[in-house]
Amino acid sequence: MTGTIRPTRAAARHAPLPRSGAWRRKSPTAPPAAALLALLCGAVVGCSAPTSGAAPADPASCGPVTATLDSTDVIALRPAPTPALPATVTSADGTTVTVTDASRILPVNLYGSIAETVFGLGLGDNVIGRDTSTTFPAAAHLPVVTPAGHDLSAEAVLALNPTVVLADDSIGPPEVLRQLRASGIPVVLVEAEQTLDAVPGHVRAVAAALGVTAAGEQLVARVEGEIAAARRSAPEGRAPRIAFLYLRGTAGVYLVGGEGAGSDAMIEAIGGVDAGSAIGLAKFRPLTSEGLINAAPDVILVMSAGLASVGGVDGLLKLPGVAQTPAGAARRIVDMEDGTLLTFGTRSGRTVQALATAVHSCGARS
């Protein structure tokens, strides 16, 4: 594939593109989350069950694997903290914001990570709505305020009467956020960087805005411990080259991740080498057969919905260049639910651990 075709606006609502840190309509670089299908490893010959301290798997012996968490839900702090309000904080855009009421919280961004943080702090019962990317079970029943994919609807937000809106600049349009502030709703923006190292800062910013700073430190300690433990679980030996592909076949979108895409952080955390970064790619770039063959990945990592959108593993192997890679020749494809793989939040440690298991010991057979 020598280029990528941008989807129509209607298609983008169901197949949103990756974006960069700042909200913008046509310049994407970091994938959203919206799980549609999880493929099973049960039918795959050669997938071996993981064992404690397992040696690195031979990529050629494993075949396709789905990386899964025992539970995709957020683990909340208990007992739930009581917000100490009013709380005055500096929003990421430099605005001073005072929050006086946290009884009706609306956390929204492109990745679902802000909602994940609020639920992780134990304040999920106070959340009144969600974005399209917030798909974990505890929040799935909430009304969606991004009916156009990842565009906020001012009407939908105002109808919920939030007492505070938490967001970052990955979501917009900006005029909607300005409209909400003009209506008297406190809008607190947190930094939009999506990396493992940024997770503690995001937790602290959300906790400060909601008046639960002590709970924030408690959650940071837990998450940092989980991420560190997951990183330590990577086995010794040759680091596999892993290429992350962002696929939306129904919209004609085929991208490969590189340095700063977010996928590179996950790959490095499990002891792998990001194949896109290794050939000089940054963020997300159109997938080309020449580039992928040069990257020579041992493993191809994809989101489950993206894999489904191209017709599964067989469909993926039909894309130009894929079958000519070591990963393609071995059918070494690892997929993971969209709502967990690149959502850098309180589940990140568990996500790294599940991904490491899938890559290094082929995951569990069903």
Side-chain angles (χ1 to χ4, degrees):
M1 186 64 64
T2 58
T4 184
I5 303 172
R6 293 189 182 277
T8 64
R9 186 117 178 118
R13 294 178 184 177
H14 302 284
L17 287 167
R19 300 190 185 193
S20 63
W23 186 93
R24 48 189 179 184
R25 297 177 186 273
K26 297 182 180 179
S27 191
T29 62
L36 300 176
L37 177 68
L39 304 179
L40 298 177
C41 180
V44 177
V45 177
C47 289
S48 57
T51 58
S52 177
D58 176 3
S61 69
C62 297
V65 180
T66 295
T68 58
L69 301 178
D70 290 338
S71 170
T72 57
D73 225 335
V74 174
I75 299 173
L77 295 179
R78 290 289 183 262
T82 300
L85 299 173
T88 299
V89 296
T90 301
S91 176
D93 63 348
T95 303
T96 299
V97 181
T98 297
V99 178
T100 60
D101 186 350
S103 63
R104 299 182 63 79
I105 306 167
L106 182 60
V108 287
N109 70 339
L110 182 64
Y111 320 99
S113 56
I114 297 180
E116 186 173 308
T117 299
V118 175
F119 274 79
L121 287 167
L123 297 177
D125 289 345
N126 295 16
V127 176
I128 58 170
R130 66 182 177 96
D131 51 65
T132 306
S133 296
T134 297
T135 59
F136 54 85
H141 68 285
L142 295 169
V144 175
V145 296
T146 52
H150 292 276
D151 291 356
L152 279 171
S153 164
E155 293 77 12
V157 172
L158 292 170
L160 294 176
N161 191 30
T163 58
V164 58
V165 173
L166 303 171
D168 62 31
D169 64 6
S170 70
I171 201 164
E175 53 266 26
V176 170
L177 296 175
R178 290 194 293 269
Q179 181 180 348
L180 296 178
R181 275 182 173 161
S183 72
I185 300 171
V187 176
V188 179
L189 300 182
V190 301
E191 296 293 343
E193 179 186 356
Q194 296 298 300
T195 65
L196 290 173
D197 290 340
V199 172
H202 293 168
V203 172
R204 290 186 173 105
V206 170
L210 299 178
V212 290
T213 54
E217 292 305 316
Q218 184 181 349
L219 185 57
V220 165
R222 189 187 82 193
V223 172
E224 286 185 325
E226 290 174 348
I227 292 174
R231 280 174 160 158
R232 289 195 299 270
S233 72
E236 299 291 335
R238 175 181 172 272
R241 289 173 68 92
I242 305 172
F244 176 76
L245 303 185
Y246 179 81
L247 310 170
R248 285 297 182 261
T250 53
V253 177
Y254 310 97
L255 306 174
V256 59
E259 183 178 0
S263 49
D264 59 328
M266 298 300 291
I267 289 168
E268 291 163 6
I270 64 169
V273 173
D274 181 66
S277 299
I279 62 170
L281 299 183
K283 301 292 185 181
F284 281 85
R285 292 292 179 265
L287 175 64
T288 66
S289 57
E290 298 83 359
L292 191 59
I293 292 170
N294 288 337
D298 301 306
V299 179
I300 290 176
L301 176 63
V302 294
M303 293 190 287
S304 298
L307 186 59
S309 77
V310 297
V313 173
D314 289 339
L316 176 59
L317 292 174
K318 294 176 183 177
L319 294 181
V322 174
Q324 287 71 50
T325 65
R331 296 175 63 88
R332 190 69 179 99
I333 314 300
V334 175
D335 72 286
M336 194 170 197
E337 184 193 15
D338 299 35
T340 57
L341 180 55
L342 293 183
T343 299
F344 291 93
T346 63
R347 295 178 296 171
S348 289
R350 294 157 56 201
T351 300
V352 171
Q353 184 64 69
L355 187 59
T357 298
V359 168
H360 295 295
S361 55
C362 299
R365 299 181 68 176
S366 51

